[in-house]
Amino acid sequence: MRFSAPRSESSSPTGRRKARPSIRSGSTFGLPPDSDEDYDQDDSDSESLASSSSSSSDSFCYDSESEVPQPQPVPQRVIQTAEDRFRMEDTMASIRLRVRHKDAYEEWEHQTRREAFISARHEQTRTTSQLRQSQRQTHTKDNSQLIAIHNRQMQEVEAALASFKLAQQTEEQKLREQWRERDQRLWERIENVIKFEENKVRARMEADLKKKLEEERKRKEAEQQQRLAQEKQKAEEEKKRVEEEERQKELKRQEEEREKQAELDRQRAERLKAEEAERKKLGLATAEDDWRRARVMLKKIKDGPMKMVKANKELKSKWSAARREITPKVGQLTDDPQTVNRVSQQIIQIIRPTPAYPLQVYYALLSSLSKAILLQAEAEVTAEKRSAGPLAQLTANLLWNLENFHEVFWAKLVQRTGGWPVPTRVPTKDVDGKDLSQQDRRKIAGWRKDDNQEENIGDHMNRVAGIMRVYTSILFAQTPKPLDSLYRLPRFWTWFARILSEPVLLQSPVAPELIYTALDVGGTQAKEIWGNQWIKLLSVLYDGVTTGINGTSTLIGGTTPEGIAARVRVQLEIEKIMGTSP
């Protein structure tokens, strides 16, 4: 697009005479040159466009170059006035503005061509890349097919070779087996012939030997039978003689024991009779009196309250409900004084509620409470000795809080342990004068049955020792007021004095076990209380477990393994007590 400014006629004649400067010489159309580079560039572009347009127009309008008229020289105008100079400058500014103008459509068309060129280059690149990738994939696929074909052919060849090798090995193995079987059959025939001949010789030799052995056996059997008959006759005669001697000895020993026991009983009776007045004066009781006291109370409870409660449905219901509450309470004890006191108060509230139970129910509950305490001692104290302390303190609390509980507990204690708490031997007659059988005496002595099987000595010792540990701990328990004489501390000395005066009891294996239990509970405290007197008693006990009872060779506990083990424990416990400082 070409722009031009209109020319104005110059009024100066001088300007018409001057020649028009040539475009090639860099004419400025009579204007002073501009120092702005942008304007120079735009002018040169405009001149080139104008030149091109002019050439195109001239060559289009004229037939030949010769017909193109020569341009007339343009005279150089001289601006004489400021108004002409201002008009010229304004014209040039307008030209420059038009030259610098950018057409939006042309710009869009130019940008569109550039973007189309870039898109075309991108499309060509992507198409070329896809083509090359496709060629590479095709080449890779062809190579993979060739490799697979080659591998398959190699496998077929190897399989054929392996098959041929296997067939060859099979054939060789078959031939070897045939040769081995042939050799084996040959050697078997040879060995069978040899064995057959050996068997013939061996059978002949065995038959001869068997015949000789049979003859020898018959001869020896005849001699053996004759000798056995003679020995049997002698053995029977010897057995009869020994049995007769043993029977005579046993009768003599029993007679001596009866005489000795009768003498001891007579002496004991005389001594007790001589001491009766003094005992009554001091309020003391004998071992037989204590055992009779427990036995009488037990019969009263069984024939009285227990019998009436079990016969009355209403009373039995009250008794059963309270008994079910007592048993768990006893099992809740811990080695904590607060827990012991709390459980004691709870049990007292169960047995003495408001309103109170009938007297029969009260005594039945005292019996159940005693049984629960003793069963807990059998089960828990046997396994853990330290649990005897809380259980003994609980029993002591109940003994001075519950009326007549000391009588009921004593009766149940003697029932489950026999005469050991007294201690005394179970008499041959009951308190009512009735003769006791051997089975009844064993039951009264504290022996139990489990599934119709008698309790063995080990279980019996452990069970009685657990109960006696609780009873001994009660003697040392702290109570706000003194308990019955059966549960006071002097009973500890009385128990040892009585058991040492009963040689029959000391020969039982239970005796050293209970002596050890009592010493373990209060031996050291007894030394502090009784001093030298207690040391003398320990000396008598020590002689009984080491040398013999009362100067004899009979040791405490007898000769059973249980008695020997318990006797050693007594010896060690006495040595420990004597080793402690006073």
Side-chain angles (χ1 to χ4, degrees):
M1 189 175 291
R2 184 177 180 182
F3 297 92
S4 61
R7 297 181 178 179
S8 59
E9 296 291 336
S10 176
S11 57
S12 175
T14 313
R16 295 189 183 102
R17 286 193 300 266
K18 289 183 179 182
R20 181 181 178 181
S22 173
I23 293 175
R24 296 179 180 178
S25 62
S27 174
T28 57
F29 297 96
L31 296 176
D34 197 345
S35 62
D36 191 354
E37 294 180 0
D38 294 337
Y39 287 168
D40 294 342
Q41 182 68 31
D42 291 341
D43 289 344
S44 62
D45 292 342
S46 299
E47 288 175 0
S48 61
L49 290 173
S51 176
S52 174
S53 177
S54 178
S55 300
S56 299
S57 177
D58 292 342
S59 61
F60 177 77
C61 294
Y62 294 96
D63 292 337
S64 63
E65 293 289 337
S66 58
E67 293 181 358
V68 177
Q70 295 294 326
Q72 294 295 328
V74 179
Q76 184 177 4
R77 291 182 300 173
V78 178
I79 300 175
Q80 295 179 355
T81 62
E83 181 180 0
D84 293 338
R85 188 178 298 108
F86 176 79
R87 185 183 304 110
M88 181 59 67
E89 291 177 356
D90 184 55
T91 302
M92 292 302 298
S94 177
I95 292 171
R96 289 190 182 96
L97 287 175
R98 288 181 178 274
V99 169
R100 292 177 179 178
H101 174 71
K102 296 181 179 181
D103 191 349
Y105 177 79
E106 290 180 354
E107 290 292 330
W108 173 81
E109 184 177 8
H110 178 70
Q111 184 66 25
T112 300
R113 287 178 179 177
R114 287 184 60 191
E115 291 177 356
F117 178 74
I118 293 171
S119 298
R121 289 187 63 183
H122 287 173
E123 180 67 20
Q124 181 184 10
T125 303
R126 184 182 62 81
T127 303
T128 303
S129 176
Q130 289 180 354
L131 178 61
R132 292 177 179 175
Q133 182 68 22
S134 177
Q135 291 175 350
R136 285 195 297 269
Q137 291 179 354
T138 302
H139 181 70
T140 303
K141 183 177 180 182
D142 293 341
N143 289 339
S144 299
Q145 291 178 353
L146 291 175
I147 293 171
I149 293 172
H150 178 264
N151 292 336
R152 187 171 62 253
Q153 291 175 352
M154 287 295 295
Q155 291 176 358
E156 291 176 355
V157 172
E158 291 176 355
L161 293 175
S163 176
F164 176 76
K165 185 177 181 180
L166 179 63
Q168 184 180 5
Q169 292 177 353
T170 304
E171 185 67 22
E172 292 177 357
Q173 184 67 23
K174 184 176 180 181
L175 293 175
R176 291 192 186 97
E177 290 293 333
Q178 290 177 357
W179 279 101
R180 190 179 297 110
E181 290 177 359
R182 178 178 174 278
D183 292 343
Q184 186 176 359
R185 287 194 299 270
L186 179 61
W187 282 107
E188 285 179 355
R189 286 197 299 269
I190 296 171
E191 291 177 356
N192 289 335
V193 172
I194 296 172
K195 187 180 296 185
F196 178 74
E197 294 299 329
E198 289 178 350
N199 290 337
K200 286 172 62 176
V201 176
R202 187 182 297 110
R204 185 169 62 254
M205 294 175 64
E206 288 179 354
D208 295 340
L209 180 60
K210 186 176 181 182
K211 185 178 180 180
K212 293 179 181 180
L213 292 176
E214 184 66 21
E215 293 175 356
E216 184 69 19
R217 184 184 63 80
K218 290 179 180 181
R219 185 181 61 79
K220 289 182 178 180
E221 284 181 355
E223 295 176 356
Q224 183 73 14
Q225 289 177 359
Q226 184 179 1
R227 186 174 62 254
L228 290 176
Q230 295 175 357
E231 291 178 355
K232 184 177 181 182
Q233 185 178 1
K234 292 180 181 180
E236 289 177 355
E237 294 175 357
E238 183 68 20
K239 182 178 180 183
K240 289 179 181 180
R241 186 182 63 81
V242 172
E243 288 178 354
E244 183 64 22
E245 291 178 357
E246 291 291 337
R247 189 176 65 83
Q248 294 296 332
K249 289 180 181 179
E250 182 67 20
L251 291 175
K252 185 178 180 180
R253 187 183 62 80
Q254 291 178 0
E255 184 66 23
E256 291 176 354
E257 287 183 356
R258 280 195 297 267
E259 292 176 359
K260 185 178 180 180
Q261 187 64 36
E263 181 65 20
L264 291 174
D265 293 341
R266 185 183 61 79
Q267 293 176 3
R268 180 182 178 84
E270 292 176 356
R271 187 176 68 254
L272 293 175
K273 186 176 182 180
E275 298 173 353
E276 184 176 359
E278 187 177 357
R279 285 200 311 273
K280 289 182 179 180
K281 184 178 179 180
L282 297 174
L284 300 177
T286 62
E288 289 77 7
D289 293 337
D290 290 339
W291 184 84
R292 184 179 296 274
R293 178 181 177 181
R295 186 68 179 165
V296 170
M297 189 62 186
L298 182 64
K299 283 183 171 292
K300 285 183 179 180
I301 294 174
K302 286 187 174 182
D303 298 336
M306 292 300 298
K307 189 174 182 180
M308 295 177 62
V309 167
K310 291 181 179 179
N312 189 308
K313 186 176 181 180
E314 182 180 355
L315 297 180
K316 184 178 181 181
S317 177
K318 294 180 180 180
W319 168 66
S320 300
R323 183 184 60 177
R324 286 192 294 269
E325 294 181 14
I326 291 173
T327 303
K329 298 296 182 184
V330 177
Q332 293 175 0
L333 285 178
T334 59
D335 193 7
D336 179 23
Q338 296 180 355
T339 304
V340 174
N341 294 332
R342 176 176 55 81
V343 174
S344 302
Q345 293 299 323
Q346 292 175 351
I347 293 176
I348 293 171
Q349 292 175 3
I350 293 172
I351 296 179
R352 292 190 314 191
T354 303
Y357 288 124
L359 193 60
Q360 296 84 355
V361 178
Y362 176 75
Y363 275 97
L365 289 176
L366 291 182
S367 177
S368 300
L369 175 60
S370 303
K371 184 177 180 180
I373 293 173
L374 296 175
L375 290 176
Q376 186 72 13
E378 292 177 2
E380 188 171 351
V381 178
T382 302
E384 180 55 54
K385 296 188 296 185
R386 291 179 298 179
S387 59
L391 192 59
Q393 187 62 49
L394 170 69
T395 307
N397 294 342
L398 298 175
L399 285 172
W400 67 268
N401 276 287
L402 297 175
E403 185 179 0
N404 293 328
F405 180 58
H406 62 282
E407 295 287 352
V408 179
F409 184 77
W410 177 251
K412 298 296 291 185
L413 176 64
V414 174
Q415 179 193 14
R416 297 204 60 90
T417 59
W420 291 109
V422 177
T424 185
R425 293 178 293 113
V426 177
T428 58
K429 290 186 178 182
D430 206 347
V431 291
D432 55 1
K434 181 181 177 182
D435 292 333
L436 296 172
S437 63
Q438 186 67 25
Q439 188 67 24
D440 292 337
R441 290 188 65 193
R442 187 175 178 82
K443 182 178 180 182
I444 294 173
W447 292 84
R448 295 289 176 262
K449 285 185 177 181
D450 187 11
D451 296 333
N452 296 326
Q453 293 183 358
E454 290 290 342
E455 186 179 31
N456 59 53
I457 184 63
D459 294 340
H460 180 74
M461 288 173 56
N462 292 332
R463 185 174 60 82
V464 175
I467 296 176
M468 288 300 296
R469 183 176 290 274
V470 174
Y471 173 67
T472 308
S473 300
I474 294 174
L475 303 180
F476 291 89
Q478 300 294 327
T479 56
K481 60 181 181 180
L483 301 177
D484 187 81
S485 60
L486 295 172
Y487 306 100
R488 294 180 186 175
L489 183 58
R491 190 75 181 181
F492 190 73
W493 177 278
T494 302
W495 188 87
F496 277 97
R498 286 178 177 177
I499 198 170
L500 285 175
S501 64
E502 291 285 351
V504 178
L505 289 180
L506 291 176
Q507 293 178 12
S508 172
V510 183
E513 182 67 23
L514 299 185
I515 292 173
Y516 160 74
T517 301
L519 293 176
D520 186 36
V521 173
T524 304
Q525 299 182 44
K527 180 183 176 184
E528 297 175 357
I529 296 171
W530 290 294
N532 291 331
Q533 295 298 323
W534 179 251
I535 293 175
K536 292 179 181 179
L537 189 145
L538 292 181
S539 177
V540 175
L541 284 174
Y542 194 81
D543 292 339
V545 298
T546 55
T547 59
I549 304 171
N550 298 328
T552 64
S553 59
T554 304
L555 298 176
I556 296 176
T559 58
T560 61
E562 293 81 6
I564 295 173
R567 188 163 58 240
V568 173
R569 285 194 288 270
V570 172
Q571 179 181 350
L572 295 176
E573 188 63 28
I574 294 174
E575 292 174 355
K576 185 179 74 173
I577 294 172
M578 296 304 296
T580 57
S581 59

